Amino acid sequence: MSMHKVIYDTDPGVDDAMALLFQVRHPEIELLGITSVFGNATIEDTTRNALFLAGRFAPHVPIARGAATPLVREAPGPLPFIHGNNGVGDIELPAGTDPAAFGATLDPRPAHRFIIDTVRANPGEVTLLAVGPMTNLALALAEDPEIAKLVKQVVIMGGAFGIHGTLGNVSPAAEANIFNDPHAADLVFGATWPLTAVGLDVTQLTIMSAGYLKALRDEAGADGQFVWEVSRVYHDFHLSSEGLDGIYVHDSSAVAFLVRPDLYTVRGGPVRVLTEGIAIGQTIQKPSTMPVPAPEWDTRPSQSVCIAADYAGVLDLYRATLLAAG
Ligand code: RIB
Ligand code: CA
């Protein structure tokens, strides 16, 4: 059994919460820490939600509070119609923000410093699993560029690469995590660490149907009940916005790639992110097979982009992981 030492960088977030549960229950993942970032809600709320989730599912895992705003742009507003007023589907939370009340530990360091110190303490071993805006990772790189050589790998949920015509979910050109801090994302894609992007091209084809969620609720004990309760507002959003009686599996797909990369097909090549203009946040890969010169790409490292997956296999993996742990 291979163990993955993971720092989970997240903006919880309904699907972030589901992905945290997946990691905690997976026998090959050792969570070293959870770093919060703005995104689906304000940094105050995403950090409070991370404390709640850690207290409930991973009480020994420290939380480090991360960036409140993007590197350059203004912070986006919260998304109550997608993730609920509290960011985690309006499930009941303990009052206040005291970590002890959640049974969790708040590390005194800012997230990017926690990332640097943890990577340096475990050279070559740490996977950064990032499923929110990439701001904390970019800040860590800026403060200590050498960590790019010390990280084992980076797996992100982010981007839309035009496979099957997949363009974006917050604009006709951009996916939310990249759109929310495109400058950070361009730095993260350009660093010399091995990175895999699990973007909308595959996550929007990985769908937990209403039937799947009901079966999880009925068969997977308290975990299944939690997934059901936390996903009600999120499910309603998919129904009203897309007529989809189910939910896209965004952040848990990054976890699935980490533990079962064989379920995915990837394409190599450098990636750029547009940082201005009407297509701001667009992710563009130059496939390694493309022979034409493209100076804005050619000086950058090749990264991996998921272009297809065994979608049923990913859904089976999530379900089997929760059932096995129950
Ligand atoms: O575009 C989907 C991504 O944006 C997910 O990570 C979701 O949680 C939001 O952050
Ligand atoms: Ca997220």
Side-chain angles (χ1 to χ4, degrees):
M1 183 187 291
S2 63
M3 285 301 289
H4 302 280
K5 293 186 177 186
V6 171
I7 298 176
Y8 183 44
D9 189 70
T10 175
D11 60 335
V14 168
D15 60 322
D16 305 69
M18 292 171 60
L20 175 64
L21 180 61
F22 188 13
Q23 290 169 79
V24 169
R25 297 297 183 239
H26 198 282
E28 293 178 22
I29 290 183
E30 179 192 355
L31 262 179
L32 301 181
I34 300 171
T35 49
S36 63
V37 65
F38 73 91
N40 289 323
T42 64
I43 189 62
E44 287 76 21
D45 283 356
T46 60
T47 306
R48 186 265 325 276
N49 295 346
L51 289 166
F52 162 73
L53 293 164
R56 177 152 176 186
F57 297 113
H60 304 297
V61 177
I63 310 299
R65 176 182 161 127
T69 58
L71 297 182
V72 177
R73 305 187 81 189
E74 287 191 8
L79 302 165
F81 56 102
I82 303 177
H83 295 274
N85 290 312
N86 66 7
V88 278
D90 290 338
I91 57 170
E92 203 173 320
L93 299 177
T97 55
D98 178 10
F102 293 102
T105 307
L106 185 64
D107 192 280
R109 292 166 288 184
H112 70 279
R113 195 67 232 176
F114 178 91
I115 291 171
I116 292 167
D117 293 347
T118 308
V119 167
R120 284 203 167 272
N122 300 270
E125 292 191 283
V126 176
T127 293
L128 302 178
L129 185 70
V131 299
M134 306 296 144
T135 320
N136 293 335
L137 273 59
L139 290 171
L141 276 173
E143 192 160 310
D144 187 353
E146 279 187 16
I147 63 162
K149 295 193 182 357
L150 301 174
V151 161
K152 182 178 179 191
Q153 65 172 325
V154 180
V155 180
I156 71 161
M157 189 281 132
F161 294 87
I163 316 294
H164 331 289
T166 308
L167 301 174
N169 59 355
V170 288
S171 85
E175 181 278 329
N177 288 338
I178 306 298
F179 181 82
N180 282 340
D181 196 343
H183 299 84
D186 196 46
L187 291 170
V188 167
F189 276 112
T192 55
W193 48 24
L195 180 149
T196 302
V198 186
L200 297 181
D201 313 82
V202 291
T203 66
Q204 288 190 338
L205 293 176
T206 312
I207 295 168
M208 291 182 178
S209 66
Y212 178 100
L213 291 164
K214 278 182 190 149
L216 215 52
R217 176 193 65 191
D218 296 341
E219 294 165 11
D223 286 351
Q225 187 66 32
F226 172 78
V227 169
W228 175 259
E229 287 172 11
V230 83
S231 63
R232 292 307 82 216
V233 175
Y234 198 59
H235 191 164
D236 288 347
F237 164 71
H238 285 75
L239 204 49
S240 60
S241 66
E242 312 225 6
L244 178 66
D245 192 12
I247 60 175
Y248 293 139
V249 182
H250 295 305
D251 294 348
S252 290
S253 291
V255 182
F257 175 82
L258 174 62
V259 293
R260 288 287 310 278
D262 57 297
L263 293 173
Y264 290 85
T265 304
V266 300
R267 183 177 73 183
V271 174
R272 295 306 311 248
V273 180
L274 299 195
T275 53
E276 56 189 18
I278 61 168
I280 189 167
Q282 185 173 24
T283 46
I284 307 175
Q285 184 184 44
K286 179 190 175 192
S288 50
T289 50
M290 186 178 270
V292 296
E296 300 291 352
W297 282 260
D298 292 342
T299 53
R300 311 234 313 176
S302 180
Q303 306 291 14
S304 298
V305 166
C306 291
I307 57 169
D310 173 353
Y311 305 106
V314 174
L315 295 174
D316 287 347
L317 174 66
Y318 189 93
R319 179 173 172 276
T321 302
L322 265 52
L323 286 178

